[in-house]
Amino acid sequence: MLEGFYPSARARSSYDIDYEGLYEQGYRGIIYDIDNTLVEHGADADERSIELFKDLMNMGFSVCLLSNNKRERVKRFYDGLVDGGVNVSRVYYIYDAKKPSRKNYRLAMKLMGTKRRTTCFIGDQLFTDVYGANRTGIRSLLVKPINKKEEIQIVLKRKLEKVVLINYKNDRWMRLKQSNLILIGFMGSGKTTIGQALSKQWGFGYIDLDELIEEQENMSIRDIFSKKGEEYFRSLETKTLKLLVRTSKRNIICTGGGTPLRDENRKLLKRLGYVVYLKTSPKTVIERLKDDTSRPLLQRPDKEKAVHELMEQRRKIYQKQAYLTVITDGKTIDEIIDEIEQDI
Ligand code: S3P
């Protein structure tokens, strides 16, 4: 019964969303709530919202502001973007939107020239923002309100929201306990560190696909690559994933950086559980792996170039495979775990 209010996903803030990833997944239009989603209630466009809009425009998105607030407030925010130098040829706004009514979500898509499956909504309230997006059939992203201090009528709503969110979390948690959490991402993105920490915190088992392969073959990954070749290693990954699909439950599974490359593996990963992509910049990976000798694909004099090339080839594959993407650069282990927990 409460499912209609459940967001498709949650994020800490509108400023901590993998927009490039959304674009790569095919999204072209973003509908934003304004108050407490982009700025504090009633505030003008600030530096970070202006920067965000510039970035979104550069990426190729269209954006529509959809607010239940009055014309003066919405126009003031929009004018702030204009004054800040945002090219607003693909920015629209709708005031007095009467969310959760579907009418203006549809109008927003019409203005942006997008369809339901290419539009994403971002807002901070469940009963208006998210519910309206869900009713319209578009992806809804719930963010935490920017300002914790709110008016009394909102405070009461937030209490009801809490009840829905507890149910949402419980439902997801129950599902996860019957399944597995899988970490994917490039070499050196922290899969092992995060995986081990998660397994400890949640009381889940921990499985490292590479280790399992090494044990089964009684050979190191390096030797498997040099003696039998990469294709053989990839077949071992597939074989091991098949075994896990049959046997694994309630485990944190760390994959190798290349595991999602094969189509067959991607299907197996989907069956295996809830896939989280740890997204790390090439710079961080290069720094972490500069002295590493265990990854055969990076034992080249031009290691930096190899990282850039491989990442470029793989980024979209990771992105598409994952239910949740967590940007890890500059974040502590606890912060990363927090983000994963937010969204299960
Ligand atoms: C590989 C990543 C490695 C390991 C092998 C191949 C890849 O795992 O499976 O060296 O193709 O990216 P990590 O991501 O754990 O380093």
Side-chain angles (χ1 to χ4, degrees):
M1 194 189 82
L2 294 175
E3 277 89 346
F5 300 112
Y6 290 177
S8 316
R10 298 171 73 186
R12 238 177 238 238
S13 139
S14 304
Y15 299 93
D16 196 14
I17 289 172
D18 181 23
Y19 290 104
E20 275 178 8
L22 283 178
Y23 195 87
E24 278 169 8
Q25 283 172 54
Y27 291 96
R28 294 294 177 266
I30 300 176
I31 307 178
Y32 278 111
D33 168 56
I34 306 176
D35 291 308
N36 257 336
T37 295
L38 286 166
V39 285
E40 283 188 13
H41 200 279
D44 291 345
D46 55 8
E47 213 172 291
R48 86 177 168 159
S49 48
I50 289 168
E51 280 316 304
L52 173 65
F53 273 69
K54 284 184 182 167
D55 287 347
L56 293 172
M57 292 304 109
N58 286 337
M59 285 179 215
F61 280 108
S62 296
V63 174
C64 185
L65 303 163
L66 187 69
S67 170
N68 281 357
N69 219 324
K70 295 187 196 67
R71 179 175 189 273
E72 181 280 325
R73 190 275 170 277
V74 177
K75 177 89 169 45
R76 181 158 46 80
F77 181 85
Y78 176 86
D79 288 343
L81 296 177
V82 177
D83 294 344
V86 177
N87 171 358
V88 288
S89 58
R90 276 180 284 115
V91 182
Y92 309 88
Y93 63 88
I94 299 170
Y95 52 87
D96 196 15
K98 302 203 169 46
K99 291 176 279 186
S101 162
R102 279 174 284 198
K103 191 174 149 223
N104 286 313
Y105 289 83
R106 289 186 184 137
L107 176 60
M109 287 190 275
K110 208 169 177 185
L111 291 170
M112 296 190 295
T114 55
K115 300 258 179 280
R116 282 191 298 207
R117 72 190 143 68
T118 57
T119 309
C120 179
F121 177 88
I122 301 175
D124 74 305
Q125 289 201 42
L126 280 184
F127 302 122
T128 48
D129 293 335
V130 167
Y131 183 47
N134 290 351
R135 292 179 73 207
T136 316
I138 62 182
R139 184 175 167 82
S140 56
L141 266 172
L142 179 73
V143 294
K144 287 193 172 170
I146 291 180
N147 193 348
K148 301 276 172 302
K149 271 200 190 142
E150 295 181 300
E151 299 156 31
I152 184 72
Q153 70 272 25
I154 302 252
V155 172
L156 292 176
K157 253 210 251 176
R158 293 287 183 210
K159 292 210 162 123
L160 288 175
E161 283 191 346
K162 238 187 189 154
V163 175
V164 177
L165 288 175
I166 288 170
N167 274 281
Y168 165 85
K169 276 204 98 151
N170 281 345
D171 282 3
R172 290 201 160 209
W173 190 244
M174 290 299 285
R175 253 184 279 154
L176 184 61
K177 276 197 197 153
Q178 299 302 317
S179 170
N180 303 283
L181 184 121
I182 301 135
L183 295 174
I184 63 168
F186 202 76
M187 295 171 259
S189 58
K191 294 175 299 238
T192 307
T193 313
I194 300 296
Q196 286 176 343
L198 272 176
S199 127
K200 237 190 220 158
Q201 280 197 19
W202 293 0
F204 274 43
Y206 173 78
I207 293 174
D208 183 303
L209 200 64
D210 277 348
E211 276 175 19
L212 213 55
I213 291 173
E214 285 181 329
E215 270 169 33
Q216 280 168 353
E217 292 293 295
N218 203 12
M219 215 190 265
S220 71
I221 300 288
R222 260 180 72 165
D223 286 348
I224 299 174
F225 265 75
S226 67
K227 297 200 170 111
K228 311 221 167 159
E230 182 173 348
E231 266 315 292
Y232 180 78
F233 171 73
R234 299 291 171 210
S235 309
L236 292 176
E237 285 186 311
T238 306
K239 192 172 121 196
T240 316
L241 280 180
K242 280 184 181 159
L243 174 80
L244 289 177
V245 166
R246 286 201 305 275
T247 55
S248 175
K249 197 161 122 180
R250 242 184 121 119
N251 285 312
I252 309 290
I253 299 172
C254 288
T255 57
T259 310
L261 296 182
R262 274 195 179 185
D263 187 40
E264 190 179 5
N265 291 359
R266 292 200 286 275
K267 288 187 184 128
L268 289 165
L269 286 172
K270 278 234 154 74
R271 285 173 58 197
L272 197 52
Y274 180 89
V275 179
V276 176
Y277 167 30
L278 300 181
K279 185 175 182 177
T280 307
S281 69
K283 193 168 162 241
T284 307
V285 166
I286 290 164
E287 179 54 34
R288 283 190 190 149
L289 300 185
K290 63 179 188 294
D291 300 320
D292 175 80
T293 53
S294 67
R295 272 97 170 174
L297 294 177
L298 298 181
Q299 303 319 302
R300 294 169 29 176
D302 56 347
K303 199 182 238 181
E304 294 194 10
K305 193 166 162 244
V307 169
H308 281 286
E309 280 173 7
L310 283 173
M311 248 196 204
E312 195 47 40
Q313 287 164 18
R314 295 176 173 187
R315 213 162 28 96
K316 283 190 189 168
I317 296 174
Y318 294 140
Q319 193 70 57
K320 227 171 153 193
Q321 178 78 43
Y323 183 83
L324 169 72
T325 298
V326 180
I327 298 170
T328 65
D329 290 279
K331 289 181 187 155
T332 63
I333 298 175
D334 285 345
E335 282 169 339
I336 295 167
I337 289 182
D338 233 37
E339 264 185 62
I340 296 174
E341 285 180 342
Q342 271 246 345
D343 205 61
I344 55 160

